[in-house]
PDB file of all heavy atoms in Angstrom:
ATOM      1  N   VAL K  18      78.232 123.121  84.001  1.00 84.00           N
ATOM      2  CA  VAL K  18      79.297 123.147  85.014  1.00 84.00           C
ATOM      3  C   VAL K  18      80.542 122.472  84.490  1.00 84.00           C
ATOM      4  O   VAL K  18      81.662 122.976  84.632  1.00 84.00           O
ATOM      5  CB  VAL K  18      78.814 122.475  86.328  1.00 84.00           C
ATOM      6  CG1 VAL K  18      79.986 122.234  87.269  1.00 84.00           C
ATOM      7  CG2 VAL K  18      77.767 123.323  87.006  1.00 84.00           C
ATOM      8  N   LEU K  19      80.378 121.330  83.822  1.00 83.00           N
ATOM      9  CA  LEU K  19      81.522 120.610  83.266  1.00 83.00           C
ATOM     10  C   LEU K  19      82.191 121.433  82.187  1.00 83.00           C
ATOM     11  O   LEU K  19      83.432 121.503  82.123  1.00 83.00           O
ATOM     12  CB  LEU K  19      81.058 119.250  82.702  1.00 83.00           C
ATOM     13  CG  LEU K  19      82.149 118.365  82.130  1.00 83.00           C
ATOM     14  CD1 LEU K  19      83.177 118.032  83.204  1.00 83.00           C
ATOM     15  CD2 LEU K  19      81.566 117.095  81.561  1.00 83.00           C
ATOM     16  N   THR K  20      81.410 122.090  81.325  1.00 85.00           N
ATOM     17  CA  THR K  20      81.978 122.940  80.284  1.00 85.00           C
ATOM     18  C   THR K  20      82.768 124.092  80.900  1.00 85.00           C
ATOM     19  O   THR K  20      83.865 124.432  80.439  1.00 85.00           O
ATOM     20  CB  THR K  20      80.840 123.501  79.388  1.00 85.00           C
ATOM     21  OG1 THR K  20      80.121 122.413  78.823  1.00 85.00           O
ATOM     22  CG2 THR K  20      81.407 124.369  78.285  1.00 85.00           C
ATOM     23  N   THR K  21      82.235 124.680  81.963  1.00 84.00           N
ATOM     24  CA  THR K  21      82.926 125.775  82.635  1.00 84.00           C
ATOM     25  C   THR K  21      84.235 125.280  83.270  1.00 84.00           C
ATOM     26  O   THR K  21      85.274 125.935  83.165  1.00 84.00           O
ATOM     27  CB  THR K  21      82.040 126.393  83.716  1.00 84.00           C
ATOM     28  OG1 THR K  21      80.830 126.846  83.095  1.00 84.00           O
ATOM     29  CG2 THR K  21      82.719 127.564  84.401  1.00 84.00           C
ATOM     30  N   LEU K  22      84.188 124.129  83.906  1.00 84.00           N
ATOM     31  CA  LEU K  22      85.401 123.563  84.515  1.00 84.00           C
ATOM     32  C   LEU K  22      86.455 123.257  83.466  1.00 84.00           C
ATOM     33  O   LEU K  22      87.646 123.508  83.668  1.00 84.00           O
ATOM     34  CB  LEU K  22      85.056 122.301  85.303  1.00 84.00           C
ATOM     35  CG  LEU K  22      84.335 122.498  86.628  1.00 84.00           C
ATOM     36  CD1 LEU K  22      83.937 121.140  87.217  1.00 84.00           C
ATOM     37  CD2 LEU K  22      85.214 123.256  87.581  1.00 84.00           C
ATOM     38  N   LEU K  23      86.032 122.700  82.333  1.00 84.00           N
ATOM     39  CA  LEU K  23      86.994 122.408  81.262  1.00 84.00           C
ATOM     40  C   LEU K  23      87.580 123.673  80.694  1.00 84.00           C
ATOM     41  O   LEU K  23      88.791 123.740  80.419  1.00 84.00           O
ATOM     42  CB  LEU K  23      86.323 121.595  80.156  1.00 84.00           C
ATOM     43  CG  LEU K  23      86.008 120.152  80.504  1.00 84.00           C
ATOM     44  CD1 LEU K  23      85.227 119.479  79.359  1.00 84.00           C
ATOM     45  CD2 LEU K  23      87.310 119.375  80.748  1.00 84.00           C
ATOM     46  N   ALA K  24      86.788 124.728  80.533  1.00 83.00           N
ATOM     47  CA  ALA K  24      87.294 125.993  80.014  1.00 83.00           C
ATOM     48  C   ALA K  24      88.303 126.612  80.985  1.00 83.00           C
ATOM     49  O   ALA K  24      89.342 127.107  80.588  1.00 83.00           O
ATOM     50  CB  ALA K  24      86.163 126.972  79.759  1.00 83.00           C
ATOM     51  N   THR K  25      87.998 126.549  82.278  1.00 83.00           N
ATOM     52  CA  THR K  25      88.916 127.071  83.288  1.00 83.00           C
ATOM     53  C   THR K  25      90.197 126.242  83.302  1.00 83.00           C
ATOM     54  O   THR K  25      91.304 126.812  83.356  1.00 83.00           O
ATOM     55  CB  THR K  25      88.255 127.029  84.689  1.00 83.00           C
ATOM     56  OG1 THR K  25      87.040 127.783  84.627  1.00 83.00           O
ATOM     57  CG2 THR K  25      89.163 127.592  85.731  1.00 83.00           C
ATOM     58  N   GLY K  26      90.086 124.940  83.221  1.00 83.00           N
ATOM     59  CA  GLY K  26      91.276 124.088  83.176  1.00 83.00           C
ATOM     60  C   GLY K  26      92.122 124.379  81.953  1.00 83.00           C
ATOM     61  O   GLY K  26      93.360 124.394  82.048  1.00 83.00           O
ATOM     62  N   GLU K  27      91.468 124.571  80.832  1.00 84.00           N
ATOM     63  CA  GLU K  27      92.218 124.872  79.595  1.00 84.00           C
ATOM     64  C   GLU K  27      92.964 126.214  79.751  1.00 84.00           C
ATOM     65  O   GLU K  27      94.121 126.323  79.339  1.00 84.00           O
ATOM     66  CB  GLU K  27      91.263 124.947  78.407  1.00 84.00           C
ATOM     67  CG  GLU K  27      91.984 125.281  77.104  1.00 84.00           C
ATOM     68  CD  GLU K  27      91.010 125.467  75.960  1.00 84.00           C
ATOM     69  OE1 GLU K  27      89.784 125.522  76.178  1.00 84.00           O
ATOM     70  OE2 GLU K  27      91.496 125.621  74.823  1.00 84.00           O
TER      71      GLU K  27
END
Side-chain angles (χ1 to χ4, degrees):
V18 168
L19 183 60
T20 302
T21 303
L22 286 174
L23 288 174
T25 302
E27 180 185 8

